[in-house]
Amino acid sequence: MNTHKIFWLPAATLLALSGPALAQDAGLVAQATGLPETLRASLAAWLAKAGQDHMSPVGMFQAADIVVKAVMVTLAVASVLVWAIFVARLITLALARRRLRRGYRRLERLGSLDPAERVFLHRRGVLGVMVRAALDERARSGTAAGTGIKERADSALIRIEAGAARGMGAGTSVLAITGSTAPFIGLFGTVWGIMNSFVSIAETNTTNLAVVAPGIAEALLATAIGLVAAIPAVIFYNILARAIGGYRGMLADASALVQRTLSRDLDLAVQDDRAAPPHHAFHRAAE
């Protein structure tokens, strides 16, 4: 299955849930998902059969009010986004941490920015950006004082470090928003559905549970979906917050290593200049 078709699957399922007619339309689900023919037919048949059972989640969804349906669909989409963001951030963090750890060991082993220039010239990763920024600042500063070069390089490295950490945290706000608002959105759907149930009780002038129970169950389903979206969002947010905090520490260590290496190169360059004999001494020796 192609990657882009995987992301169409939740949307196609939600679309099929919106009514019995769409649930029976295997062609629509097939077009959206790109699944094999047998699997498409099985999915459409399952949706159609589930829609006939009014006490099943699919049946309760189809019988719910339009407002409650909108709440359920919103929460279902939020839940899919929560899982997608969590998996994507975990993979990105793992790759970035491994690349940063490998580059850190390589730069520490080289001990100087001059040989590191060839190693990190086209290397991907934030450490390569830091090394190139330090080399660029040293080259642009020319014969300026080493203290000024260090300060300007430190400023550039701080900005690179902050940008890398900020980019790694992209999308986590969706987890925080979902975790804090999904229960209340689901509760709104429940309140709306129960309100409609009481209105139907007043219209039918009956308190028989067999009559009012389906409407109340439909309303409570909205709260259940809200909790299904909120609980993983809170857990995933805490996991990612801790992982990103550890990544920030690794970025700080990498920035400090680049600063130390640049400082060492500048001090060694000054020491070599002082150790070299003055230019006029060569003329006296020649005479």
Side-chain angles (χ1 to χ4, degrees):
M1 185 187 303
N2 294 333
T3 304
H4 71 278
K5 294 180 180 178
I6 297 176
F7 293 98
W8 276 103
L9 181 57
T13 305
L14 291 174
L15 186 61
L17 288 174
S18 60
L22 291 179
Q24 297 172 359
D25 189 357
L28 179 61
V29 179
Q31 183 179 2
T33 60
L35 297 174
E37 184 64 31
T38 56
L39 188 56
R40 293 197 300 262
S42 300
L43 177 61
W46 176 81
L47 289 173
K49 183 178 180 181
Q52 296 174 358
D53 184 5
H54 297 293
M55 295 308 296
S56 68
V58 177
M60 287 189 290
F61 175 84
Q62 294 178 356
D65 181 77
I66 183 63
V67 175
V68 182
K69 278 185 178 180
V71 169
M72 291 180 182
V73 171
T74 301
L75 293 173
V77 172
S79 180
V80 172
L81 287 177
V82 163
W83 281 91
I85 291 173
F86 176 68
V87 173
R89 288 294 97 188
L90 275 186
I91 296 174
T92 305
L93 264 172
L95 294 176
R97 288 168 65 94
R98 185 177 66 177
R99 188 181 297 120
L100 186 59
R101 192 181 299 112
R102 187 179 301 171
Y104 185 95
R105 290 197 296 262
R106 190 73 177 271
L107 179 59
E108 192 175 29
R109 187 165 56 250
L110 292 173
S112 176
L113 292 181
D114 292 326
E117 182 178 8
R118 295 187 297 272
V119 175
F120 292 94
L121 181 60
H122 301 293
R123 187 180 292 270
R124 297 177 58 187
V126 64
L127 187 58
V129 177
M130 290 181 176
V131 170
R132 291 191 291 270
L135 289 169
D136 182 65
E137 182 58 41
R138 189 182 69 176
R140 296 175 66 179
S141 298
T143 58
T147 304
I149 297 176
K150 296 175 188 177
E151 292 178 355
R152 290 188 292 272
D154 291 349
S155 176
L157 293 177
I158 290 173
R159 298 311 307 160
I160 294 173
E161 179 184 343
R166 185 170 56 251
M168 192 58 65
T172 55
S173 59
V174 176
L175 305 184
I177 293 172
T178 302
S180 59
T181 61
F184 299 102
I185 297 174
L187 183 60
F188 167 74
T190 297
V191 171
W192 187 274
I194 292 178
M195 181 182 67
N196 289 336
S197 297
F198 280 117
V199 170
S200 64
I201 290 173
E203 291 177 350
T204 57
N205 196 21
T206 179
T207 58
N208 189 354
L209 284 179
V211 177
V212 301
I216 297 176
E218 297 162 8
L220 292 175
L221 181 61
T223 298
I225 297 177
L227 294 177
V228 168
I231 293 174
V234 174
I235 296 174
F236 294 164
Y237 179 80
N238 291 328
I239 293 174
L240 289 179
R242 184 168 182 175
I244 293 173
Y247 182 66
R248 287 178 184 271
M250 295 181 64
L251 288 174
D253 292 340
S255 177
L257 177 61
V258 175
Q259 293 172 9
R260 290 195 306 270
T261 307
L262 175 62
S263 177
R264 185 187 306 116
D265 289 348
L266 293 175
D267 291 344
L268 289 176
V270 172
Q271 183 178 354
D272 292 341
D273 291 341
R274 291 177 178 175
H279 182 68
H280 57 80
F282 290 101
H283 290 285
R284 291 179 180 177
E287 294 175 356

